[in-house]
Amino acid sequence: MKSYELIRGSGLESLVLTERPVPEPGPRELLVKLRVVSLNYRDLAILRGTYGDYPRPLVPVSDGVGEVVAVGAEVRRFKVGERVIPAYVPDWVRGGPTEENSRRRLGGPLDGLLREYACIHEEAAVAAPAHLTDAEAATLPIAGVTAWHALFTAGRVGPGDTVVVQGTGGVSLFALQLARMAGARVLVTSRSPAKLERAVALGAAAGIHTGADPEWDARVLALTEGRGADHVVDVVGGEGVGRSIGAARVGGTVTLVGFLDSAAVRFDLTRALRRVVRLQAVSVGSREDLEALGRALAVRGVRPVVDRTFSFAEAHAAYAYLASGAQFGKVVITLP
Protein backbone atom coordinates (compact mmCIF):
# COMPACT_ATOMS: atom_id res chain seq x y z
CA MET A 1 0.00 0.00 0.00
CA LYS A 2 1.01 3.63 -0.43
CA SER A 3 1.79 5.58 2.70
CA TYR A 4 3.31 8.91 3.64
CA GLU A 5 5.93 8.92 6.38
CA LEU A 6 7.78 11.58 8.29
CA ILE A 7 11.40 10.49 7.95
CA ARG A 8 14.15 12.90 9.02
CA GLY A 9 14.34 16.58 9.74
CA SER A 10 11.33 18.87 9.69
CA GLY A 11 9.16 20.66 7.20
CA LEU A 12 7.66 19.42 3.95
CA GLU A 13 10.88 17.75 2.85
CA SER A 14 10.50 15.29 5.74
CA LEU A 15 7.16 14.02 4.35
CA VAL A 16 7.99 11.13 2.01
CA LEU A 17 5.76 8.81 -0.04
CA THR A 18 6.65 5.17 0.67
CA GLU A 19 5.38 1.62 0.21
CA ARG A 20 4.32 -0.56 3.14
CA PRO A 21 2.72 -4.00 3.37
CA VAL A 22 -1.04 -4.00 3.90
CA PRO A 23 -1.47 -4.82 7.61
CA GLU A 24 -3.30 -7.92 8.86
CA PRO A 25 -6.05 -7.33 11.44
CA GLY A 26 -5.71 -8.92 14.86
CA PRO A 27 -8.57 -10.84 16.53
CA ARG A 28 -10.43 -7.68 17.57
CA GLU A 29 -9.22 -5.33 14.84
CA LEU A 30 -10.77 -3.86 11.73
CA LEU A 31 -8.84 -3.49 8.51
CA VAL A 32 -9.97 -0.09 7.24
CA LYS A 33 -9.49 1.19 3.70
CA LEU A 34 -9.06 4.92 4.28
CA ARG A 35 -11.11 7.18 2.01
CA VAL A 36 -10.43 10.70 3.30
CA VAL A 37 -8.19 12.20 5.99
CA SER A 38 -8.42 15.65 7.57
CA LEU A 39 -5.54 17.90 8.59
CA ASN A 40 -5.29 19.63 11.97
CA TYR A 41 -2.85 22.22 13.27
CA ARG A 42 -1.34 19.42 15.36
CA ASP A 43 -0.30 17.64 12.16
CA LEU A 44 1.41 20.80 10.94
CA ALA A 45 3.21 21.25 14.29
CA ILE A 46 4.44 17.64 14.21
CA LEU A 47 5.67 18.14 10.65
CA ARG A 48 7.57 21.24 11.81
CA GLY A 49 9.02 19.42 14.81
CA THR A 50 7.42 21.78 17.32
CA TYR A 51 4.97 19.31 18.90
CA GLY A 52 6.40 16.30 20.70
CA ASP A 53 9.49 14.25 19.96
CA TYR A 54 7.99 11.20 18.30
CA PRO A 55 10.06 8.32 16.91
CA ARG A 56 10.40 8.25 13.13
CA PRO A 57 9.52 6.98 10.60
CA LEU A 58 5.99 8.04 11.55
CA VAL A 59 2.82 7.96 9.47
CA PRO A 60 1.22 11.37 10.12
CA VAL A 61 -2.37 12.66 10.34
CA SER A 62 -4.83 11.83 13.10
CA ASP A 63 -8.30 12.15 11.53
CA GLY A 64 -9.98 10.14 8.83
CA VAL A 65 -12.82 7.94 7.66
CA GLY A 66 -12.83 4.67 5.76
CA GLU A 67 -14.55 1.42 4.92
CA VAL A 68 -14.12 -1.83 6.83
CA VAL A 69 -12.73 -4.36 4.34
CA ALA A 70 -11.82 -7.18 6.76
CA VAL A 71 -12.39 -8.02 10.42
CA GLY A 72 -10.64 -10.15 13.02
CA ALA A 73 -12.22 -13.39 14.22
CA GLU A 74 -13.49 -11.87 17.50
CA VAL A 75 -14.89 -8.57 16.15
CA ARG A 76 -18.53 -7.94 17.10
CA ARG A 77 -19.09 -4.16 16.78
CA PHE A 78 -18.66 -3.75 13.00
CA LYS A 79 -19.04 -5.65 9.75
CA VAL A 80 -17.29 -5.58 6.40
CA GLY A 81 -18.65 -2.75 4.25
CA GLU A 82 -19.48 -0.39 7.11
CA ARG A 83 -18.05 3.13 7.17
CA VAL A 84 -16.12 4.00 10.32
CA ILE A 85 -14.20 6.85 11.93
CA PRO A 86 -11.11 5.89 13.98
CA ALA A 87 -10.94 7.59 17.38
CA TYR A 88 -7.95 9.91 17.70
CA VAL A 89 -7.20 8.69 21.26
CA PRO A 90 -7.93 4.96 20.87
CA ASP A 91 -7.77 4.00 24.57
CA TRP A 92 -10.08 6.80 25.81
CA VAL A 93 -13.48 5.16 25.47
CA ARG A 94 -15.50 6.95 28.15
CA GLY A 95 -15.16 9.10 31.26
CA GLY A 96 -12.39 11.59 31.86
CA PRO A 97 -8.79 11.61 30.66
CA THR A 98 -6.13 9.70 32.59
CA GLU A 99 -2.42 9.22 32.18
CA GLU A 100 -3.08 5.70 30.90
CA ASN A 101 -5.89 6.35 28.42
CA SER A 102 -4.45 9.56 26.93
CA ARG A 103 -0.91 8.50 26.09
CA ARG A 104 -1.45 6.79 22.72
CA ARG A 105 -2.71 9.04 19.90
CA LEU A 106 -2.97 8.58 16.15
CA GLY A 107 -0.43 10.55 14.17
CA GLY A 108 2.04 10.55 17.07
CA PRO A 109 3.22 8.54 18.86
CA LEU A 110 1.07 5.94 17.02
CA ASP A 111 1.19 5.78 13.25
CA GLY A 112 -1.56 7.93 11.76
CA LEU A 113 -3.88 7.66 8.78
CA LEU A 114 -2.12 9.20 5.77
CA ARG A 115 -1.97 5.74 4.16
CA GLU A 116 -4.27 3.49 2.19
CA TYR A 117 -5.02 0.93 4.94
CA ALA A 118 -4.91 0.87 8.75
CA CYS A 119 -5.81 -1.66 11.43
CA ILE A 120 -8.08 -0.19 14.12
CA HIS A 121 -9.24 -1.90 17.30
CA GLU A 122 -13.02 -2.28 17.20
CA GLU A 123 -13.38 -0.35 20.48
CA ALA A 124 -11.48 2.57 18.94
CA ALA A 125 -13.89 3.21 16.06
CA VAL A 126 -17.36 4.70 15.65
CA ALA A 127 -19.89 4.50 12.85
CA ALA A 128 -19.73 7.50 10.52
CA PRO A 129 -22.95 9.56 10.53
CA ALA A 130 -24.92 8.49 7.46
CA HIS A 131 -25.80 12.04 6.37
CA LEU A 132 -22.16 13.16 6.13
CA THR A 133 -19.91 12.79 3.11
CA ASP A 134 -16.53 11.14 3.60
CA ALA A 135 -14.84 14.55 3.63
CA GLU A 136 -17.23 15.83 6.30
CA ALA A 137 -17.02 12.71 8.46
CA ALA A 138 -13.21 12.82 8.40
CA THR A 139 -13.23 16.16 10.25
CA LEU A 140 -14.89 14.97 13.46
CA PRO A 141 -12.28 13.25 15.70
CA ILE A 142 -10.11 16.23 16.72
CA ALA A 143 -11.78 19.50 15.70
CA GLY A 144 -15.35 18.35 16.23
CA VAL A 145 -14.74 16.44 19.44
CA THR A 146 -12.61 19.24 20.89
CA ALA A 147 -15.43 21.74 20.36
CA TRP A 148 -18.03 19.29 21.70
CA HIS A 149 -15.98 18.46 24.80
CA ALA A 150 -15.20 22.14 25.47
CA LEU A 151 -18.80 23.31 25.20
CA PHE A 152 -20.78 20.40 26.62
CA THR A 153 -18.68 17.75 28.36
CA ALA A 154 -16.35 20.09 30.25
CA GLY A 155 -18.53 23.17 29.74
CA ARG A 156 -22.19 23.90 30.35
CA VAL A 157 -23.19 25.97 27.32
CA GLY A 158 -26.93 26.29 26.88
CA PRO A 159 -29.70 28.45 25.42
CA GLY A 160 -29.16 32.18 25.78
CA ASP A 161 -25.45 31.92 26.59
CA THR A 162 -22.91 34.04 24.74
CA VAL A 163 -19.93 32.16 23.31
CA VAL A 164 -16.84 33.74 21.75
CA VAL A 165 -14.79 31.76 19.23
CA GLN A 166 -11.47 32.87 17.78
CA GLY A 167 -10.89 32.66 14.07
CA THR A 168 -12.46 30.40 11.47
CA GLY A 169 -10.40 27.23 11.62
CA GLY A 170 -11.79 23.77 12.24
CA VAL A 171 -12.33 23.89 16.02
CA SER A 172 -13.70 27.43 15.89
CA LEU A 173 -16.29 26.72 13.21
CA PHE A 174 -17.37 23.53 14.97
CA ALA A 175 -17.75 25.55 18.18
CA LEU A 176 -19.83 28.11 16.26
CA GLN A 177 -22.12 25.45 14.78
CA LEU A 178 -22.49 23.45 18.00
CA ALA A 179 -23.12 26.48 20.19
CA ARG A 180 -25.81 27.63 17.78
CA MET A 181 -27.36 24.16 17.94
CA ALA A 182 -27.56 24.62 21.72
CA GLY A 183 -29.32 27.97 21.35
CA ALA A 184 -26.32 30.12 22.28
CA ARG A 185 -25.35 33.47 20.78
CA VAL A 186 -21.92 33.33 19.11
CA LEU A 187 -19.39 36.13 18.53
CA VAL A 188 -16.48 35.41 16.18
CA THR A 189 -13.10 37.16 15.99
CA SER A 190 -10.96 37.29 12.86
CA ARG A 191 -8.46 39.48 11.02
CA SER A 192 -10.37 38.86 7.78
CA PRO A 193 -13.57 40.82 7.04
CA ALA A 194 -14.45 38.28 4.35
CA LYS A 195 -14.21 35.39 6.79
CA LEU A 196 -16.29 37.29 9.33
CA GLU A 197 -19.02 37.71 6.72
CA ARG A 198 -19.00 33.96 6.11
CA ALA A 199 -19.12 33.27 9.86
CA VAL A 200 -22.17 35.51 10.23
CA ALA A 201 -23.80 33.69 7.31
CA LEU A 202 -23.10 30.45 9.19
CA GLY A 203 -24.99 31.72 12.24
CA ALA A 204 -22.71 34.03 14.23
CA ALA A 205 -24.53 36.97 15.83
CA ALA A 206 -21.62 39.32 15.14
CA GLY A 207 -18.04 39.37 13.92
CA ILE A 208 -15.20 41.27 15.56
CA HIS A 209 -12.47 42.45 13.19
CA THR A 210 -9.32 42.20 15.30
CA GLY A 211 -7.41 44.34 12.81
CA ALA A 212 -9.75 47.26 13.45
CA ASP A 213 -10.42 46.28 17.08
CA PRO A 214 -7.17 44.76 18.44
CA GLU A 215 -8.62 45.14 21.96
CA TRP A 216 -11.33 42.71 21.00
CA ASP A 217 -12.18 41.89 24.61
CA ALA A 218 -13.51 45.44 25.00
CA ARG A 219 -15.64 44.90 21.90
CA VAL A 220 -17.09 41.72 23.44
CA LEU A 221 -18.02 43.69 26.56
CA ALA A 222 -19.68 46.34 24.40
CA LEU A 223 -21.67 43.71 22.49
CA THR A 224 -22.84 42.14 25.77
CA GLU A 225 -23.74 45.44 27.47
CA GLY A 226 -20.74 45.16 29.79
CA ARG A 227 -21.52 41.68 31.05
CA GLY A 228 -19.00 39.62 29.06
CA ALA A 229 -19.26 36.20 27.44
CA ASP A 230 -20.32 33.07 29.28
CA HIS A 231 -17.72 30.99 27.43
CA VAL A 232 -14.62 31.87 25.38
CA VAL A 233 -13.00 29.17 23.24
CA ASP A 234 -9.33 30.17 22.95
CA VAL A 235 -7.45 28.53 20.08
CA VAL A 236 -4.61 31.08 19.99
CA GLY A 237 -2.85 30.86 23.35
CA GLY A 238 0.09 33.14 24.07
CA GLU A 239 -0.49 36.57 25.53
CA GLY A 240 -3.93 36.69 23.95
CA VAL A 241 -5.27 34.52 26.77
CA GLY A 242 -5.41 37.71 28.82
CA ARG A 243 -7.92 39.14 26.36
CA SER A 244 -9.99 35.94 26.56
CA ILE A 245 -10.13 36.40 30.33
CA GLY A 246 -11.11 40.05 29.88
CA ALA A 247 -13.89 39.04 27.47
CA ALA A 248 -15.44 36.55 29.91
CA ARG A 249 -18.18 37.51 32.34
CA VAL A 250 -17.71 37.26 36.09
CA GLY A 251 -17.85 33.53 36.75
CA GLY A 252 -17.44 32.75 33.06
CA THR A 253 -15.26 30.09 31.43
CA VAL A 254 -12.24 30.26 29.14
CA THR A 255 -11.37 26.99 27.45
CA LEU A 256 -7.79 26.67 26.18
CA VAL A 257 -7.71 24.36 23.16
CA GLY A 258 -4.86 25.60 20.95
CA PHE A 259 -1.61 27.49 20.58
CA LEU A 260 -1.72 29.13 17.15
CA ASP A 261 0.16 32.12 18.54
CA SER A 262 2.30 30.52 21.22
CA ALA A 263 2.28 27.64 23.67
CA ALA A 264 3.63 30.00 26.32
CA VAL A 265 0.68 31.67 28.06
CA ARG A 266 0.92 35.02 29.85
CA PHE A 267 -1.91 36.84 31.59
CA ASP A 268 -2.66 39.02 34.61
CA LEU A 269 -3.69 36.57 37.33
CA THR A 270 -5.28 39.31 39.43
CA ARG A 271 -7.68 40.06 36.58
CA ALA A 272 -8.70 36.40 36.41
CA LEU A 273 -9.16 36.30 40.18
CA ARG A 274 -11.25 39.47 40.24
CA ARG A 275 -13.56 38.10 37.58
CA VAL A 276 -13.52 34.58 39.09
CA VAL A 277 -12.93 33.20 35.60
CA ARG A 278 -12.67 29.45 35.21
CA LEU A 279 -9.72 28.40 33.02
CA GLN A 280 -9.84 24.88 31.60
CA ALA A 281 -7.65 23.06 29.11
CA VAL A 282 -9.29 20.62 26.72
CA SER A 283 -7.45 18.11 24.55
CA VAL A 284 -10.13 16.40 22.46
CA GLY A 285 -12.36 13.84 24.20
CA SER A 286 -13.45 10.24 24.49
CA ARG A 287 -14.98 7.83 21.99
CA GLU A 288 -18.32 8.50 23.69
CA ASP A 289 -17.86 12.23 22.95
CA LEU A 290 -17.28 11.37 19.29
CA GLU A 291 -20.42 9.22 19.24
CA ALA A 292 -22.49 11.94 20.93
CA LEU A 293 -21.21 14.52 18.45
CA GLY A 294 -22.19 12.30 15.53
CA ARG A 295 -25.70 11.76 16.92
CA ALA A 296 -26.22 15.49 17.49
CA LEU A 297 -25.10 16.38 13.96
CA ALA A 298 -27.40 13.71 12.52
CA VAL A 299 -30.45 14.86 14.49
CA ARG A 300 -29.96 18.49 13.43
CA GLY A 301 -28.70 17.70 9.93
CA VAL A 302 -25.65 19.89 10.51
CA ARG A 303 -22.62 19.46 8.24
CA PRO A 304 -19.02 20.39 9.09
CA VAL A 305 -17.41 23.10 6.97
CA VAL A 306 -14.88 21.68 4.51
CA ASP A 307 -12.82 24.40 2.87
CA ARG A 308 -10.71 22.56 0.31
CA THR A 309 -10.00 19.01 -0.84
CA PHE A 310 -6.62 17.77 -2.08
CA SER A 311 -5.69 14.46 -3.69
CA PHE A 312 -3.33 11.97 -2.05
CA ALA A 313 -0.60 13.04 -4.49
CA GLU A 314 -1.10 16.65 -3.35
CA ALA A 315 -0.40 15.99 0.34
CA HIS A 316 2.47 18.49 0.42
CA ALA A 317 0.23 21.17 -1.10
CA ALA A 318 -2.46 20.41 1.50
CA TYR A 319 0.00 20.97 4.34
CA ALA A 320 1.24 24.19 2.71
CA TYR A 321 -2.31 25.45 2.31
CA LEU A 322 -3.08 24.77 5.97
CA ALA A 323 0.12 26.60 6.94
CA SER A 324 -0.96 29.63 4.91
CA GLY A 325 -3.95 30.25 7.17
CA ALA A 326 -6.16 30.96 4.16
CA GLN A 327 -8.67 28.24 4.97
CA PHE A 328 -12.22 28.70 6.25
CA GLY A 329 -12.95 25.37 7.90
CA LYS A 330 -11.21 22.06 7.30
CA VAL A 331 -8.59 20.92 4.80
CA VAL A 332 -8.96 17.29 3.67
CA ILE A 333 -7.05 14.81 1.54
CA THR A 334 -8.72 12.05 -0.51
CA LEU A 335 -7.01 8.67 -0.80
CA PRO A 336 -6.65 6.48 -3.91
Side-chain angles (χ1 to χ4, degrees):
M1 68 173 182
K2 294 180 179 179
S3 173
Y4 279 97
E5 296 179 0
L6 297 176
I7 306 297
R8 292 179 298 273
S10 60
L12 288 175
E13 64 275 9
S14 68
L15 183 65
V16 178
L17 183 62
T18 64
E19 293 278 343
R20 284 189 172 200
V22 175
E24 292 287 334
R28 296 194 63 194
E29 288 185 328
L30 317 171
L31 177 62
V32 177
K33 171 69 174 70
L34 278 307
R35 293 179 177 178
V36 179
V37 298
S38 171
L39 294 182
N40 292 280
Y41 184 76
R42 178 182 191 267
D43 303 313
L44 186 60
I46 290 173
L47 179 83
R48 291 169 168 169
T50 59
Y51 187 102
D53 184 19
Y54 300 125
R56 299 193 180 194
L58 173 71
V59 178
V61 182
S62 307
D63 288 1
V65 67
E67 178 184 349
V68 178
V69 295
V71 297
E74 299 176 15
V75 169
R76 298 294 180 267
R77 295 188 70 233
F78 296 99
K79 298 177 182 178
V80 170
E82 293 185 307
R83 197 171 59 136
V84 298
I85 302 171
Y88 162 55
V89 191
D91 302 323
W92 188 3
V93 176
R94 60 184 59 86
T98 66
E99 184 70 28
E100 292 73 25
N101 70 18
S102 301
R103 187 177 298 113
R104 302 191 323 137
R105 298 173 182 237
L106 295 181
L110 300 179
D111 275 336
L113 303 178
L114 195 53
R115 49 180 162 158
E116 292 185 277
Y117 294 90
C119 284
I120 307 296
H121 195 282
E122 65 172 334
E123 294 294 337
V126 306
H131 76 294
L132 298 184
T133 66
D134 288 338
E136 292 165 342
T139 69
L140 302 187
I142 288 186
V145 171
T146 296
W148 178 272
H149 192 98
L151 297 177
F152 307 125
T153 306
R156 297 178 293 276
V157 170
D161 284 351
T162 296
V163 176
V164 175
V165 299
Q166 296 177 319
T168 55
V171 174
S172 297
L173 290 188
F174 265 112
L176 164 57
Q177 291 176 292
L178 295 174
R180 290 293 298 125
M181 283 171 51
R185 176 190 186 215
V186 182
L187 309 177
V188 178
T189 71
S190 175
R191 292 189 297 269
S192 167
K195 289 182 178 180
L196 288 175
E197 287 184 10
R198 295 181 66 182
V200 169
L202 198 61
I208 301 172
H209 183 206
T210 53
D213 281 314
E215 297 182 356
W216 59 266
D217 49 338
R219 183 64 180 149
V220 170
L221 294 178
L223 289 169
T224 57
E225 299 180 341
R227 179 175 182 270
D230 298 278
H231 201 123
V232 181
V233 180
D234 190 307
V235 302
V236 176
E239 296 189 5
V241 172
R243 297 211 178 277
S244 292
I245 292 170
R249 67 167 173 83
V250 173
T253 298
V254 174
T255 300
L256 308 174
V257 301
F259 51 94
L260 294 176
D261 176 45
S262 172
V265 174
R266 291 173 57 89
F267 60 89
D268 182 350
L269 181 57
T270 61
R271 192 181 194 190
L273 293 172
R274 283 198 307 270
R275 300 187 68 78
V276 201
V277 172
R278 177 190 183 204
L279 290 171
Q280 62 180 12
V282 165
S283 179
V284 295
S286 66
R287 190 197 79 194
E288 285 192 345
D289 284 323
L290 178 55
E291 290 170 328
L293 168 64
R295 290 193 299 269
L297 295 176
V299 167
R300 294 298 186 93
V302 173
R303 296 178 177 274
V305 180
V306 176
D307 177 88
R308 188 168 171 184
T309 300
F310 292 82
S311 71
F312 191 67
E314 297 173 318
H316 289 83
Y319 270 92
Y321 181 66
L322 179 65
S324 75
Q327 74 280 2
F328 182 90
K330 298 295 293 182
V331 179
V332 303
I333 299 171
T334 58
L335 280 88

